[in-house]
Structures are given as C-alpha cells and as structure tokens.
C-alpha cells in the first residue's frame, strides 16, 4: 500500500528540526511589546529621518512619500519570509541558520557574514551620530558654541564615541531585562517628540508660516512620477536603509515568550509603526517647508544631511526645539544599544554550529546573554570607527555608503531561502503559496535588483565621497572588498571547522513530501 507522508505544517515543523541547538539564552525574557520595541529601536526612526529626509527629497522631490512606500514593500515581503522561517526554525542565528538549512553551509556562512559586517558598520555610524548630537545638545543647553565645537576635535570625538559604545555594550551584556527597561524609555521619548513635531509642522503648514511650504497633493504618493529611473533607484536605496534593523525582533526569538510566533508578529508591528511614522513626518515636513533646495527646503544641500537640526527651532520653537535634539540623541543611543542584539546572537549561533571558534558560543551564566560575542562586537565597533576616523573621513563615509549592498545581500538571500525551504509545501494552500513562496520570492527579487543596480552605480567614483582606487569608486572597492574578505575568512574557517562545511552539523533538512511503500 502506498502512503503519502506529509511533514507537519510550518507551525509544527520546528519539532522535526533536530539539529537546531539550544544555546542557553534567557527564555521568556521578552514579550510581544518588548520585541516590537526592540525592532523599532534598532531601526532608529528619528535618526533615520533626520539623516535621510533631505537626501531623499533631493533625489525624488515631492515624490518622497511614494518612495517611502516603495521601500516599505520589499521589506514587508521579506518580513513575511522571516515570520514563516521563524515559525519553522526559531533559532537566534536567523538568516545564517535559515540559509544554511536551505542552501548549505557556504551560502549560509556568507549570509551570516553579511549580517555581521553590516551591523558593525551601522554600530560605528550610530556611535558617531550619537557623539555628534551629544556635543550639539550640550552646546544648545549651555548656549556655548565652543562646547558644541568640541565634536570637531578628533580626539574628543573618538573618546566620547568609545565611551558610548562601552556603555551600550555593558547594557546589552547584562541581558534582555536591562535592554527592555532602557528601550521603553528611549523609544517612547523619540516617538512622542516625533508626534509633536508632526503636529506642529501641520500647524505651520496650515498657517502658511513658510514661503516654501506646499499644499498636499495625492500625486506625492505616485512613484511613477519620479523624473528618472536613476533618481528612483537612489531614493529607493535610501528608503530601504531607513527600514533596516526590524529583524532584531527575530534575533531574540530564543528569549521571547512564544518563540515560534511572537517575533514574527512583533516584526510586522514594528514595520507598520515605522512606515506610519515616515509617511506622517515626510508629508508634514514637505507641507511645512517644501522639498526645494533653498531656505528651509528639505533638499537644501547645506542642511539635507541633518534636517531636524535646521527645522527644530523654526517648527517647534526654541524651547521645544531642544527636545528634537534630545530625540535624535535618544534614537541613535537606543539603536546603538539594541543593534548589538542581532550581531551577538548571530555570532553565538555561528559558533554553536561550529562555523566560528567555539569561544563565542559561551553564554553568561547569570545574565543569560552571549557575553563574549557581545564584547567582541563592541570591541570590533570601537576599533573599526577609530581606525576609519583616523585614516580618512572619506573612507568612513564610503564605508557607510557600502552598507546598502550588505543589507540587500543578506535580506535577499534570506527571502530566497524561505521560498526554497518551503518549496514542497507551496501547493498545500493559497496561504502557503503566497506567504512562503510568492511574497518572499518577490521581495528577494526586488532587493537583488537593488543590489545589482547599487553595484553598478558604486563603480562610478562620484558615488559617495568621490574618492577613487585605480579609477574605480572607493564605495565599490569597499563594498565588494568586504564580501571578498568574507570569502577569505570562510576558507580559513573551513580548514579549522570542516564538519560544519561538510554539512554534518547543521543540515539541509528541508520539509518535503515523502512517498513510502
């Protein structure tokens, strides 16, 4: 007799994944709200807005809200992939673990490398921004420009930056309970101040307070109205960066109550909060001051890299405007602290599965955190930022520009891994077809297209700071160089840990339909 043996549905598949290992993390430390807060915090919405509102307006003009929506689409599709994979394999290695199980150890290792390198770059950037706003806020509070100017002193800047990194590392080291308490306060503060800014910007717009203000038009929501494909792609790259980090919700899955479902729900909640915040702020700011390149216009090159610094006083007034500086500092500081979560847990998982040295697989006996991996991430961040700052500001800038390449690289791989991992389940129902197959595949294709387009654009020396290496844009050299470096590290690791790379530790146990006699 022939019997059709069907493996369990996604919510039950985790029971069959026998090679997934427990790592000793603190179980049940985070609930739905705490997980969503961690995702929002890692993205750092206020910091992202002040640094990209102007740049996006400069690329796409009044279509900025449409580009925010366009950037949200691939991220939402990839979020569905993360949710489905987490249901099946709730492992803190997330992208690394899932791509190993779908495509094998080498592709999975490179996916983990992309996540780790992207996070180290972001951590260094966040620390630098938090440092700058610390001294800017100190200057505003004291009314002394010379205090704010201390940020221009390279030694003072680096010392402050390293102090902030050390504090963030210490908080992350002490576990999810300490992390949650800090994050509720910092995320709550920045969202409240951002809501106040939006309300006051709408008020200024309705009163016609600024000559450059614009009346709202639904045409702003039309992405096809962008003047050129090049401008749209540039704006889309900025928009994708603004959503990066929500997957921190999934990195805490082994520490979350209801680890199979809660992290996926939290990531979707975080995404909705983010897109709502970005659209409201973008529309309000555009109505108040316009998207031009003169005066307070968002695309003014003199202020576009730090929009809130220019708009705080005019929109909110001198007294309340200081709160916007506080919110940016809180946003960068909060994200600096939570961004340690995914990198430390990815390193922990890679070490647990013998893809990295075993020393990083140790969990602190009291705090139940990947202590050594967290400290390693902090040291790597501090060293990276210090070296890049001392070598050249252009190199540091171009490294940050190369970040988009890493983000698209590991997100697209994870999305493709979802479609492949569940390939045998796609005919079970319309839900399985779309949420495990069509949506992740489409999200992966969109991000892969952005990856390739960015790769082409990076070749041009004009991309980024304008620096070149043998006539090639330094952003291209850095971005591709980091991926090549990953290949080199992987080959060295393979010689030291052959079992993982032979597929003997974490196997490609893809769910399948098996026909038995």
């Amino acid at each position: 007799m022939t019997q059709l043996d069907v493996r369990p549905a996604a919510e039950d598949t985790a029971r069959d994944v026998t090679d997934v290992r427990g790592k000793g993390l603190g179980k049940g430390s985070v609930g739905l709200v705490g997980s969503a807060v961690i995702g929002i915090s890692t993205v750092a919405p206020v910091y992202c807005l002040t640094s990209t509102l102007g740049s996006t307006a400069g690329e796409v003009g009044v279509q900025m809200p449409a580009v925010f929506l366009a950037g949200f689409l691939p991220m939402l599709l990839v979020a569905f992939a993360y949710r489905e994979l987490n249901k099946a394999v709730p492992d803190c290695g997330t992208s690394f673990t899932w791509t190993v199980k779908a495509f094998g150890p080498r592709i999975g290792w490179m996916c983990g490398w992309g996540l780790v390198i992207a996070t180290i770059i972001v951590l260094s950037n966040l620390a630098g921004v938090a440092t700058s706003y610390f001294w800017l806020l100190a200057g505003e509070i004291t009314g002394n420009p010379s205090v704010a100017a201390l940020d221009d002193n390279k030694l003072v800047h680096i010392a402050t930056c390293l102090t902030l990194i050390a504090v963030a590392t210490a908080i992350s080291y002490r576990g999810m309970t300490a992390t949650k308490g800090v994050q509720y306060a910092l995320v709550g503060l920045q969202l409240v101040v951002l809501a106040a800014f939006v309300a006051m910007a709408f008020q200024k717009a309705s009163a016609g307070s600024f000559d450059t203000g614009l009346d709202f038009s639904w045409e702003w929501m039309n992405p096809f109205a962008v003047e050129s494909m090049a401008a749209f792609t540039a704006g889309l790259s900025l928009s994708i960066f603004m959503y990066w980090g929500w997957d921190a919700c999934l990195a805490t899955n082994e520490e979350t109550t209801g680890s199979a479902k809660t992290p996926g729900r939290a990531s979707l909640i975080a995404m909705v909060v983010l897109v709502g915040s970005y659209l409201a702020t973008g529309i309000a700011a555009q109505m108040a001051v316009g998207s031009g390149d003169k005066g307070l216009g968002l695309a003014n090159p003199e202020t576009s890299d730090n929009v809130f610094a220019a708009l705080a006083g005019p929109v909110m007034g001198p007294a309340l405007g200081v709160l916007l500086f506080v919110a940016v500092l809180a946003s960068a500081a909060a994200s600096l602290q939570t961004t340690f979560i995914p990198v430390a847990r990815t390193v922990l998982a890679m070490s647990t599965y013998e893809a990295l040295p075993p020393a990083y697989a140790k969990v602190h006996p009291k705090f139940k955190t990947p202590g050594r991996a967290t400290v390693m991430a902090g040291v790597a961040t501090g060293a990276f930022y210090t070296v890049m700052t001392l070598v050249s500001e252009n190199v540091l800038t171009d490294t940050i520009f190369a970040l988009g390449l890493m983000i698209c690289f590991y997100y697209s791989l994870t999305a493709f891994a979802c479609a492949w991992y569940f390939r045998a389940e796609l005919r079970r129902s319309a839900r399985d077809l779309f949420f495990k197959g069509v949506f992740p595949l489409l999200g992966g294709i969109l991000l892969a297209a952005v990856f390739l387009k960015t790769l082409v654009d990076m070749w041009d020396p004009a991309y980024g700071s304008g620096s070149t290496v043998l006539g090639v844009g330094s952003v291209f050299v850095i971005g591709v160089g980091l991926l090549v470096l990953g290949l080199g590290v992987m080959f060295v690791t393979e010689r030291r840990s052959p079992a993982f790379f032979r597929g003997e530790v974490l196997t490609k146990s893809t769910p399948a339909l098996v026909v038995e006699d």
Side-chain angles (χ1 to χ4, degrees):
M1 179 179 179
T2 300
Q3 179 182 3
L4 186 65
D5 177 24
V6 182
R7 288 205 179 192
E11 56 266 28
D12 297 320
T13 306
R15 300 173 190 170
D16 279 1
V17 186
T18 56
D19 54 348
V20 172
R21 302 176 180 179
K23 302 168 191 68
L25 296 169
K27 296 184 182 297
S29 303
V30 187
L32 178 62
V33 175
S35 183
V37 166
I38 287 172
I40 295 168
S41 173
T42 305
V43 175
V46 178
Y47 154 69
C48 285
L49 283 166
T50 192
S51 60
T52 56
L53 266 179
S55 302
T56 308
E59 295 290 349
V60 301
V62 295
Q63 265 61 54
M64 174 181 58
V67 171
F68 285 168
L69 280 175
F72 172 70
L73 177 60
M75 287 300 188
L76 178 63
L77 296 174
V78 172
F80 288 134
Y82 271 74
R83 184 185 67 177
E84 298 304 320
L85 285 166
N86 182 73
K87 285 182 181 179
V89 189
D91 187 275
C92 71
T94 60
S95 292
F96 159 74
T97 304
W98 301 330
T99 48
V100 169
K101 296 187 75 63
F103 299 133
R106 290 173 183 82
I107 294 178
W109 197 96
M110 284 302 298
C111 187
W113 171 265
L115 186 153
V116 169
I117 291 299
T119 308
I120 294 298
I121 294 172
V122 167
L123 281 168
S124 64
N125 186 37
L126 287 167
V129 171
T131 297
S132 296
Y133 264 88
F134 172 81
W135 289 112
L136 186 61
L137 179 61
E140 288 287 323
I141 293 174
T142 61
N144 188 347
S146 62
V147 174
L150 286 173
D151 187 56
D152 297 326
N153 184 309
K154 191 166 288 189
L155 292 179
V156 172
H157 179 92
I158 291 175
T160 307
C161 188
L162 293 178
T163 300
L164 291 175
I165 291 171
V167 171
T169 304
I171 295 174
S172 296
Y173 185 89
R174 292 183 63 83
M176 297 306 301
T177 302
T179 297
K180 280 193 306 180
V182 173
Q183 291 308 314
Y184 282 137
L186 294 180
V187 171
L189 170 66
Q190 61 180 299
L191 291 181
V192 167
V193 174
L194 189 60
F197 172 83
V198 169
M200 298 181 80
F202 277 129
Q203 183 182 29
K204 295 288 185 181
S206 63
S209 300
F210 307 110
D211 295 337
T212 55
L214 300 171
D215 292 329
F216 174 77
S217 170
W218 285 107
E219 186 68 8
W220 295 357
M221 313 303 288
N222 179 15
F224 300 103
V226 178
E227 292 183 358
S228 69
M229 188 62 186
F232 177 77
T233 304
L236 186 62
S237 296
L238 290 167
S239 179
I240 287 173
F241 166 73
M242 292 177 68
Y243 292 104
W244 180 79
W246 54 267
D247 50 312
C249 300
L250 284 300
T252 63
N253 51 18
E254 295 187 39
E255 299 153 274
T256 305
T257 54
S259 60
K261 295 182 179 180
T262 300
R265 292 171 178 170
S267 66
L268 294 177
I269 292 172
M271 292 288 283
V272 170
V273 171
L274 290 169
V275 71
S277 300
Y278 292 161
L279 285 175
T281 306
I283 292 171
Q286 197 156 267
M287 288 178 64
V289 301
S291 59
D293 58 2
K294 305 295 182 184
L296 290 175
L298 296 176
N300 187 330
E302 296 181 1
T303 59
S304 62
D305 61 342
N306 193 350
V307 167
F308 287 155
L311 297 184
V315 172
M316 302 184 72
L320 293 179
V322 174
L323 290 178
L324 201 52
F325 288 97
V326 174
V328 176
L329 176 59
S331 183
S335 183
L336 175 63
Q337 193 253 308
T338 53
T339 304
F340 276 101
I341 292 172
V343 65
R345 280 148 185 80
T346 297
V347 170
L348 170 69
M350 293 180 77
S351 182
T352 299
Y353 297 119
E354 302 176 31
L356 285 177
Y360 298 113
K362 295 181 179 179
V363 171
H364 193 282
K366 177 180 179 182
F367 301 127
K368 303 298 182 183
T369 60
R372 185 163 294 187
T374 301
V375 172
M376 182 278 296
V379 171
T381 300
F384 176 84
Y385 189 82
T386 300
V387 171
M388 292 296 102
T389 302
L390 292 175
V391 169
S392 170
E393 291 292 339
N394 287 342
V395 173
L396 181 61
T397 299
D398 288 342
T399 303
I400 294 167
F401 269 96
L403 173 65
L405 202 66
M406 303 298 165
I407 294 172
C408 291
F409 174 74
Y410 85 84
Y411 272 166
S412 60
L413 276 178
T414 306
F416 292 140
C418 179
W420 184 252
Y421 185 81
F422 293 114
R423 66 190 184 280
E425 299 182 9
L426 302 184
R427 295 182 181 180
R428 290 180 175 177
S429 66
R431 184 199 179 281
D432 283 347
L433 174 63
F434 284 98
F435 286 101
K436 296 178 182 178
V438 175
F439 292 160
L441 186 61
L442 182 57
I445 291 172
L446 289 173
L447 288 178
V450 175
F451 175 88
L452 293 174
K453 183 64 169 65
T454 303
L455 202 62
V456 172
D457 292 343
M458 283 171 150
W459 185 271
D460 187 347
Y463 196 96
S465 69
S467 302
T468 64
V469 178
L470 301 177
V472 180
S474 61
V475 180
F476 179 91
V477 173
I478 292 170
V480 175
L482 288 172
L483 291 176
V484 172
L485 175 63
L487 285 172
V489 175
M490 183 182 72
F491 290 139
V492 172
T493 305
E494 185 170 1
R495 293 176 64 89
R496 302 182 63 177
S497 305
F500 168 79
F501 290 95
R502 288 197 299 260
E504 298 172 359
V505 180
L506 192 59
T507 62
K508 296 166 66 175
S509 54
T510 307
L513 297 175
V514 181
V515 177
E516 296 180 349
D517 291 329

